[in-house]
Every structure is written in C-alpha cells, then in structure tokens.
Amino acid sequence: MSSEKINKAKSSSSPLGRSGGANILDKIVADKRKEVELKKSIIPVSQYETSVLFERKTNSLTQALKNSDTGIITEFKRRSPSKESINQNANIGQVAKGYENAGVCGMSVLTDIKYFGGAIEDLILARASVNLPLLRKEFIISEYQIIEAKAYGADVILLIAAILTKQEIKTYSELAKSLGLDVLLEVHNEEELHKSIMPSLDMLGVNNRNLKTFEVSLDTSKSLSKLIPDDFVKVSESGISSIDAIKELKPYGYEGFLIGENFMKTDNPGKSAIQFIKSLKN
C-alpha cells in the first residue's frame, strides 16, 4: 500500500477521529473527569460490585487473537468528534450479532456520550446479545470506570498512554487484572511505549495516527513493533481499512487489527465484516 493511500485512509479506530488534536483530547479528558465525579456521587462502587455481571467469568480477547488467523477486532461507533454521523441509527444488538457471525475476535464498544454518541448501556446490550470478548473503549482516568466496565459486562479495557502517567497505567492495569479483565494499552510513539511496558498489560496497541498532524501511516506500527516485547499481543489501530494493510503488518508480529469506521459506515456492518474476513482468508 502506498504512503499516499495510507495517509488518506478514512478508517479511524482512534477515539479522536481525524481532527481536533491534543486540544480535543484535553477537552475530552476534562469533561470526562467531571462526568466521573458526578457518577461517583450518584452510583457508589458498592452498587457495581453487587451486579450479577460483576462475578461473571470474562472472555479473553488476548487468547482469541492468539488463536485466530485473522485477528479482526470490530467496533461499534455511532459518531466521532470529526464525523457527526457514522451510523446513528445502528442497533447495537444486531450489529454485535452480525460481527459474531462474521467470526471476529472481539468487539470494541464506544461508551463516551458527549463526543461519540455512545453509552455504558450499549455495553450491556451487546453483552446480552453475544459471547464475544467486549472491549470498553473509553477515556479511562479513574479506577471507578474500570469497576463500572466489569459490572456492565466488559471483558477488556482500553488504557490510553497519552492521557495517563506511568503510575496510573500500573494502578489501573493491576486493578483490571484483579477483576479478570484483559488490558489493551494504546500508544502513539516510542516515548509512550517506553513508559507503558509492564507485566500487568496483555496487549499493546499502536495507533497509526499522528496526533499532531493527523496523518495515518502504517510505518508507526512497523517501527514500534521491534520495541514491543514478545510477551504482549501486538494490535495495530487506525488506517486498517484494507486487506493489504493487514497483510503488510502481519510480518511485523501483529496479531490484532482494530477496524473502526470501515464496517460501521455501511448499511450492514456484520455483512461487511463477513465479506472482509472472507477476502482476507483467500
């Protein structure tokens, strides 16, 4: 795939989409802190801990990726800061079932309301519909959100290195592991990667989108691949919109490929995923 095509790739598994930069990230995090503080005052942690799903045995996305020959992780996303509408009318239960029928390894569920039109309830609706490993895709800045994720049926949490300190990554990932959740840590560059490598992570995700220029290049995944220890499952994110991109990255040790808008922007995301995976296997 040419660098020109890569840079024009429209698929976005990054929460930021294609515009806004560090400023939008700062804004999202500031709003998220307010949201979490409000939730804490309404729903105590003890209430989540009595949830039926809190005792549920989770499904490992890490193992699913290791056992797969495709490594596809799909996403449920209605909109993003850069795209007011991707698929506003999608039914999460139907989409989840479609993805499961396609044979994907797991499904990422955007739970941010303000910027992505998601909801924590989407997670529980997906959980009621499928047995797939479910990733809560959220801007996690508090242990509270991890406990909430477990109570709503998540199997995996996302931690974003760009918004967390090394100590926060350690604290949050260790809490997640104690609850039986897998941890996917997302990095954008070498600096974030070096501060993040620790035993309490399962997967290291490389986001191919440059947060300053917003260009997408698979070279990010390629260059960082050699710095990721083999203990972790490698996941590539953003710009994965073609079979060629996946075939290009597999020799670099990537076992997971998070596909954002590519399926969601179609009328039938499940059917699109079936066709994509069929082509990938050929």
Side-chain angles (χ1 to χ4, degrees), residues 4-281:
E4 185 181 349
K5 284 182 181 176
I6 293 164
N7 289 341
K8 288 180 179 177
K10 292 182 179 178
S11 172
S12 170
S13 58
S14 164
L16 295 179
R18 293 197 307 280
S19 68
N23 290 338
I24 186 71
L25 187 55
D26 291 344
K27 191 166 173 20
I28 290 171
V29 170
D31 285 338
K32 190 58 60 180
R33 291 192 192 283
K34 291 176 192 170
E35 179 191 316
V36 171
E37 284 307 309
L38 181 60
K39 272 193 173 182
K40 279 182 184 177
S41 69
I42 299 168
I43 306 169
V45 163
S46 57
Q47 189 169 320
Y48 289 135
E49 290 173 339
T50 58
S51 151
V52 174
L53 291 176
F54 203 77
E55 299 303 321
R56 167 185 163 269
K57 190 179 186 307
T58 52
N59 301 318
S60 174
L61 177 60
T62 309
Q63 284 305 316
L65 292 174
K66 285 180 178 178
N67 298 335
S68 171
D69 55 355
T70 61
I72 303 297
I73 306 165
T74 50
E75 188 153 87
F76 185 85
K77 177 163 62 174
R78 292 187 182 88
R79 63 182 175 85
S80 72
S82 65
K83 283 197 175 176
E84 278 305 305
S85 180
I86 296 167
N87 196 333
Q88 293 279 23
N89 300 318
N91 178 303
I92 188 160
Q94 290 174 357
V95 171
K97 284 177 183 173
Y99 284 156
E100 189 171 53
N101 291 338
V104 306
C105 294
M107 174 171 149
S108 164
V109 180
L110 265 298
T111 59
D112 177 79
I113 300 171
K114 185 170 182 179
Y115 296 92
F116 296 89
I120 190 71
E121 287 75 22
D122 286 336
L123 198 52
I124 210 161
L125 290 171
R127 179 78 290 146
S129 305
V130 294
N131 290 316
L132 279 174
L134 297 179
L135 163 69
R136 182 186 187 185
K137 198 165 190 189
E138 180 57 92
F139 299 86
I140 289 180
I141 44 84
S142 167
E143 292 174 88
Y144 182 89
Q145 294 162 289
I146 300 168
I147 293 165
E148 181 184 46
K150 173 70 172 175
Y152 274 84
D155 301 285
V156 195
I157 60 155
L158 173 74
L159 297 179
I160 303 171
I163 63 173
L164 300 171
T165 65
K166 183 173 185 174
Q167 184 56 51
E168 284 172 332
I169 293 168
K170 184 174 188 292
T171 301
Y172 298 163
S173 58
E174 287 178 354
L175 171 61
K177 296 310 294 176
S178 75
L179 296 174
L181 298 167
D182 276 5
V183 181
L184 170 62
L185 189 285
E186 178 182 292
V187 299
H188 295 85
N189 54 46
E190 193 173 332
E191 183 187 357
E192 290 177 7
L193 180 60
H194 284 314
K195 81 170 181 182
S196 306
I197 293 174
M198 56 187 73
S200 45
L201 306 176
D202 300 288
M203 297 162 281
L204 273 161
V206 177
N207 195 318
N208 297 307
R209 189 176 306 286
N210 184 313
L211 288 183
K212 292 177 181 172
T213 65
F214 297 99
E215 289 184 349
V216 175
S217 172
L218 299 188
D219 289 340
T220 307
S221 280
K222 291 175 184 176
S223 62
L224 292 182
S225 67
K226 61 183 180 291
L227 303 175
I228 300 173
D230 292 336
D231 309 354
F232 307 104
V233 169
K234 297 176 192 175
V235 178
S236 187
E237 310 169 21
S238 287
I240 314 292
S241 57
S242 71
I243 306 293
D244 288 344
I246 292 173
K247 289 183 175 175
E248 201 176 321
L249 288 171
K250 280 202 168 185
Y252 290 86
Y254 285 91
E255 295 177 87
F257 305 93
L258 182 58
I259 299 181
E261 293 172 17
N262 209 41
F263 303 138
M264 281 304 298
K265 65 186 179 185
T266 66
D267 292 335
N268 190 328
K271 189 176 178 183
S272 301
I274 287 172
Q275 292 167 345
F276 189 92
I277 290 171
K278 192 176 178 182
S279 301
L280 182 60
K281 286 181 174 180

